[in-house]
PDB file of all heavy atoms in Angstrom:
ATOM      1  N   THR A 272     -62.668  17.754   6.067  1.00 97.00           N
ATOM      2  CA  THR A 272     -63.073  18.675   7.132  1.00 97.00           C
ATOM      3  C   THR A 272     -62.668  20.117   6.834  1.00 97.00           C
ATOM      4  O   THR A 272     -63.477  21.046   6.985  1.00 97.00           O
ATOM      5  CB  THR A 272     -62.466  18.230   8.472  1.00 97.00           C
ATOM      6  OG1 THR A 272     -62.921  16.908   8.788  1.00 97.00           O
ATOM      7  CG2 THR A 272     -62.867  19.182   9.589  1.00 97.00           C
ATOM      8  N   LEU A 273     -61.445  20.338   6.413  1.00 98.00           N
ATOM      9  CA  LEU A 273     -60.909  21.695   6.303  1.00 98.00           C
ATOM     10  C   LEU A 273     -61.032  22.304   4.913  1.00 98.00           C
ATOM     11  O   LEU A 273     -61.014  23.535   4.786  1.00 98.00           O
ATOM     12  CB  LEU A 273     -59.437  21.703   6.725  1.00 98.00           C
ATOM     13  CG  LEU A 273     -59.129  21.288   8.169  1.00 98.00           C
ATOM     14  CD1 LEU A 273     -57.643  21.369   8.433  1.00 98.00           C
ATOM     15  CD2 LEU A 273     -59.895  22.148   9.163  1.00 98.00           C
ATOM     16  N   ALA A 274     -61.110  21.497   3.867  1.00 97.00           N
ATOM     17  CA  ALA A 274     -61.107  22.038   2.502  1.00 97.00           C
ATOM     18  C   ALA A 274     -62.209  23.072   2.268  1.00 97.00           C
ATOM     19  O   ALA A 274     -61.943  24.129   1.673  1.00 97.00           O
ATOM     20  CB  ALA A 274     -61.202  20.902   1.493  1.00 97.00           C
ATOM     21  N   PRO A 275     -63.466  22.846   2.703  1.00 97.00           N
ATOM     22  CA  PRO A 275     -64.498  23.868   2.465  1.00 97.00           C
ATOM     23  C   PRO A 275     -64.203  25.200   3.148  1.00 97.00           C
ATOM     24  O   PRO A 275     -64.496  26.263   2.588  1.00 97.00           O
ATOM     25  CB  PRO A 275     -65.770  23.222   3.032  1.00 97.00           C
ATOM     26  CG  PRO A 275     -65.497  21.752   3.029  1.00 97.00           C
ATOM     27  CD  PRO A 275     -64.044  21.624   3.309  1.00 97.00           C
ATOM     28  N   TYR A 276     -63.617  25.169   4.348  1.00 98.00           N
ATOM     29  CA  TYR A 276     -63.324  26.412   5.060  1.00 98.00           C
ATOM     30  C   TYR A 276     -62.169  27.167   4.391  1.00 98.00           C
ATOM     31  O   TYR A 276     -62.205  28.398   4.269  1.00 98.00           O
ATOM     32  CB  TYR A 276     -62.970  26.116   6.518  1.00 98.00           C
ATOM     33  CG  TYR A 276     -64.130  25.561   7.313  1.00 98.00           C
ATOM     34  CD1 TYR A 276     -64.253  24.193   7.539  1.00 98.00           C
ATOM     35  CD2 TYR A 276     -65.110  26.393   7.844  1.00 98.00           C
ATOM     36  CE1 TYR A 276     -65.305  23.671   8.266  1.00 98.00           C
ATOM     37  CE2 TYR A 276     -66.170  25.882   8.580  1.00 98.00           C
ATOM     38  CZ  TYR A 276     -66.268  24.515   8.784  1.00 98.00           C
ATOM     39  OH  TYR A 276     -67.315  24.001   9.507  1.00 98.00           O
ATOM     40  N   PHE A 277     -61.142  26.456   3.963  1.00 98.00           N
ATOM     41  CA  PHE A 277     -60.009  27.120   3.326  1.00 98.00           C
ATOM     42  C   PHE A 277     -60.351  27.637   1.941  1.00 98.00           C
ATOM     43  O   PHE A 277     -59.704  28.566   1.450  1.00 98.00           O
ATOM     44  CB  PHE A 277     -58.818  26.161   3.261  1.00 98.00           C
ATOM     45  CG  PHE A 277     -57.980  26.138   4.505  1.00 98.00           C
ATOM     46  CD1 PHE A 277     -58.357  25.377   5.602  1.00 98.00           C
ATOM     47  CD2 PHE A 277     -56.815  26.878   4.598  1.00 98.00           C
ATOM     48  CE1 PHE A 277     -57.599  25.353   6.756  1.00 98.00           C
ATOM     49  CE2 PHE A 277     -56.046  26.864   5.745  1.00 98.00           C
ATOM     50  CZ  PHE A 277     -56.437  26.103   6.833  1.00 98.00           C
ATOM     51  N   ALA A 278     -61.352  27.053   1.287  1.00 97.00           N
ATOM     52  CA  ALA A 278     -61.748  27.513  -0.043  1.00 97.00           C
ATOM     53  C   ALA A 278     -62.783  28.628   0.008  1.00 97.00           C
ATOM     54  O   ALA A 278     -63.116  29.200  -1.036  1.00 97.00           O
ATOM     55  CB  ALA A 278     -62.294  26.341  -0.853  1.00 97.00           C
ATOM     56  N   ASP A 279     -63.277  28.957   1.191  1.00 97.00           N
ATOM     57  CA  ASP A 279     -64.309  29.983   1.334  1.00 97.00           C
ATOM     58  C   ASP A 279     -63.657  31.365   1.345  1.00 97.00           C
ATOM     59  O   ASP A 279     -62.896  31.698   2.261  1.00 97.00           O
ATOM     60  CB  ASP A 279     -65.081  29.756   2.636  1.00 97.00           C
ATOM     61  CG  ASP A 279     -66.297  30.653   2.755  1.00 97.00           C
ATOM     62  OD1 ASP A 279     -66.428  31.601   1.947  1.00 97.00           O
ATOM     63  OD2 ASP A 279     -67.118  30.422   3.668  1.00 97.00           O
ATOM     64  N   PRO A 280     -63.916  32.234   0.347  1.00 97.00           N
ATOM     65  CA  PRO A 280     -63.273  33.557   0.321  1.00 97.00           C
ATOM     66  C   PRO A 280     -63.762  34.492   1.418  1.00 97.00           C
ATOM     67  O   PRO A 280     -63.110  35.505   1.687  1.00 97.00           O
ATOM     68  CB  PRO A 280     -63.627  34.093  -1.071  1.00 97.00           C
ATOM     69  CG  PRO A 280     -64.866  33.359  -1.461  1.00 97.00           C
ATOM     70  CD  PRO A 280     -64.775  32.009  -0.834  1.00 97.00           C
ATOM     71  N   SER A 281     -64.871  34.187   2.055  1.00 97.00           N
ATOM     72  CA  SER A 281     -65.361  35.043   3.137  1.00 97.00           C
ATOM     73  C   SER A 281     -64.637  34.789   4.450  1.00 97.00           C
ATOM     74  O   SER A 281     -64.840  35.515   5.421  1.00 97.00           O
ATOM     75  CB  SER A 281     -66.867  34.830   3.339  1.00 97.00           C
ATOM     76  OG  SER A 281     -67.135  33.519   3.805  1.00 97.00           O
ATOM     77  N   ILE A 282     -63.779  33.767   4.495  1.00 98.00           N
ATOM     78  CA  ILE A 282     -62.976  33.459   5.677  1.00 98.00           C
ATOM     79  C   ILE A 282     -61.526  33.813   5.364  1.00 98.00           C
ATOM     80  O   ILE A 282     -60.939  33.283   4.425  1.00 98.00           O
ATOM     81  CB  ILE A 282     -63.080  31.967   6.068  1.00 98.00           C
ATOM     82  CG1 ILE A 282     -64.534  31.576   6.326  1.00 98.00           C
ATOM     83  CG2 ILE A 282     -62.222  31.674   7.287  1.00 98.00           C
ATOM     84  CD1 ILE A 282     -64.723  30.098   6.606  1.00 98.00           C
ATOM     85  N   VAL A 283     -60.957  34.728   6.134  1.00 98.00           N
ATOM     86  CA  VAL A 283     -59.578  35.148   5.915  1.00 98.00           C
ATOM     87  C   VAL A 283     -58.635  34.115   6.523  1.00 98.00           C
ATOM     88  O   VAL A 283     -58.793  33.717   7.680  1.00 98.00           O
ATOM     89  CB  VAL A 283     -59.320  36.537   6.524  1.00 98.00           C
ATOM     90  CG1 VAL A 283     -57.849  36.922   6.380  1.00 98.00           C
ATOM     91  CG2 VAL A 283     -60.210  37.580   5.865  1.00 98.00           C
ATOM     92  N   LYS A 284     -57.654  33.683   5.740  1.00 98.00           N
ATOM     93  CA  LYS A 284     -56.620  32.764   6.208  1.00 98.00           C
ATOM     94  C   LYS A 284     -55.306  33.527   6.388  1.00 98.00           C
ATOM     95  O   LYS A 284     -54.870  34.229   5.480  1.00 98.00           O
ATOM     96  CB  LYS A 284     -56.417  31.618   5.206  1.00 98.00           C
ATOM     97  CG  LYS A 284     -57.368  30.448   5.397  1.00 98.00           C
ATOM     98  CD  LYS A 284     -58.817  30.761   5.075  1.00 98.00           C
ATOM     99  CE  LYS A 284     -59.040  30.996   3.593  1.00 98.00           C
ATOM    100  NZ  LYS A 284     -60.475  31.157   3.244  1.00 98.00           N
ATOM    101  N   ILE A 285     -54.696  33.401   7.565  1.00 98.00           N
ATOM    102  CA  ILE A 285     -53.480  34.146   7.888  1.00 98.00           C
ATOM    103  C   ILE A 285     -52.339  33.156   8.091  1.00 98.00           C
ATOM    104  O   ILE A 285     -52.482  32.176   8.836  1.00 98.00           O
ATOM    105  CB  ILE A 285     -53.652  34.998   9.155  1.00 98.00           C
ATOM    106  CG1 ILE A 285     -54.966  35.782   9.117  1.00 98.00           C
ATOM    107  CG2 ILE A 285     -52.486  35.947   9.330  1.00 98.00           C
ATOM    108  CD1 ILE A 285     -55.274  36.509  10.405  1.00 98.00           C
ATOM    109  N   GLY A 286     -51.228  33.400   7.418  1.00 98.00           N
ATOM    110  CA  GLY A 286     -50.038  32.571   7.576  1.00 98.00           C
ATOM    111  C   GLY A 286     -48.793  33.397   7.365  1.00 98.00           C
ATOM    112  O   GLY A 286     -48.850  34.568   6.988  1.00 98.00           O
ATOM    113  N   HIS A 287     -47.651  32.767   7.609  1.00 97.00           N
ATOM    114  CA  HIS A 287     -46.355  33.452   7.428  1.00 97.00           C
ATOM    115  C   HIS A 287     -45.532  32.669   6.423  1.00 97.00           C
ATOM    116  O   HIS A 287     -45.235  31.495   6.620  1.00 97.00           O
ATOM    117  CB  HIS A 287     -45.609  33.554   8.756  1.00 97.00           C
ATOM    118  CG  HIS A 287     -44.379  34.403   8.684  1.00 97.00           C
ATOM    119  ND1 HIS A 287     -44.428  35.784   8.753  1.00 97.00           N
ATOM    120  CD2 HIS A 287     -43.068  34.082   8.534  1.00 97.00           C
ATOM    121  CE1 HIS A 287     -43.200  36.271   8.669  1.00 97.00           C
ATOM    122  NE2 HIS A 287     -42.361  35.263   8.524  1.00 97.00           N
ATOM    123  N   ALA A 288     -45.183  33.325   5.297  1.00 96.00           N
ATOM    124  CA  ALA A 288     -44.418  32.687   4.216  1.00 96.00           C
ATOM    125  C   ALA A 288     -45.122  31.419   3.747  1.00 96.00           C
ATOM    126  O   ALA A 288     -44.548  30.336   3.706  1.00 96.00           O
ATOM    127  CB  ALA A 288     -42.995  32.392   4.670  1.00 96.00           C
ATOM    128  N   ILE A 289     -46.370  31.571   3.359  1.00 97.00           N
ATOM    129  CA  ILE A 289     -47.206  30.416   3.038  1.00 97.00           C
ATOM    130  C   ILE A 289     -46.812  29.759   1.725  1.00 97.00           C
ATOM    131  O   ILE A 289     -47.188  28.602   1.471  1.00 97.00           O
ATOM    132  CB  ILE A 289     -48.695  30.824   2.979  1.00 97.00           C
ATOM    133  CG1 ILE A 289     -48.920  31.870   1.875  1.00 97.00           C
ATOM    134  CG2 ILE A 289     -49.150  31.355   4.330  1.00 97.00           C
ATOM    135  CD1 ILE A 289     -50.375  32.252   1.705  1.00 97.00           C
TER     136      ILE A 289
END
Side-chain angles (χ1 to χ4, degrees):
T272 300
L273 298 181
Y276 294 99
F277 275 82
D279 188 348
S281 66
I282 302 175
V283 176
K284 274 68 69 174
I285 313 173
H287 188 81
I289 62 176

